[in-house]
Amino acid sequence: MDLIYFILAAYGLTQIIIYGTIFNTLRPSKEWLKGTGKLFHCPMCMGFWSGVFLLGINKYTELFSFELNLANALILGSISSGTTYVLCMTFGDEGIKHEHKHLDR
């Protein structure tokens, strides 16, 4: 259950940082610092760092408890990145995203 709470928290945090209008004035442009600003517009990139951040603060919550070490940072960051990306590509403001692409020959 800890992992599910962790994934949902990482997804929520990433959604707020990337898409939340409250951060519009704080979120840098994609061109900021030679392209480093793209991090704040990419759910996969920000998902990784959200996971690492949540691992860093996990001793202050009762939702999940993971040992703080480099291996867990890489693993949980990767889990957070992958699941956040999948959830962002699956769900949108109008519900489940559905695209139908035609292959013109």
Side-chain angles (χ1 to χ4, degrees):
M1 211 55 190
D2 285 2
L3 191 56
I4 292 173
Y5 290 142
F6 178 82
I7 289 169
L8 292 174
Y11 173 65
L13 179 61
T14 303
Q15 285 288 102
I16 290 168
I17 292 171
I18 293 178
Y19 302 114
T21 56
I22 194 168
F23 288 110
N24 282 349
T25 57
L26 300 173
R27 190 179 308 113
S29 70
K30 291 181 181 180
E31 293 78 29
W32 178 73
L33 205 60
K34 297 182 181 179
T36 308
K38 291 177 186 176
L39 169 74
F40 295 91
H41 299 269
C42 170
M44 188 178 290
C45 305
M46 186 53 69
F48 177 86
W49 292 109
S50 294
V52 172
F53 172 76
L54 289 174
L55 173 64
I57 66 165
N58 90 95
K59 69 179 183 180
Y60 302 108
T61 182
E62 295 178 10
L63 287 176
F64 44 83
S65 178
F66 299 104
E67 185 179 333
L68 184 59
N69 59 47
L70 181 60
N72 279 349
L74 292 173
I75 292 166
L76 291 172
S78 298
I79 289 170
S80 173
S81 174
T83 56
T84 296
Y85 180 76
V86 167
L87 289 170
C88 284
M89 296 299 111
T90 304
F91 300 102
D93 289 341
E94 286 83 35
I96 296 175
K97 294 180 182 179
H98 176 71
E99 291 183 33
H100 183 77
K101 296 183 179 183
H102 295 277
L103 296 174
D104 293 331
R105 295 176 192 237

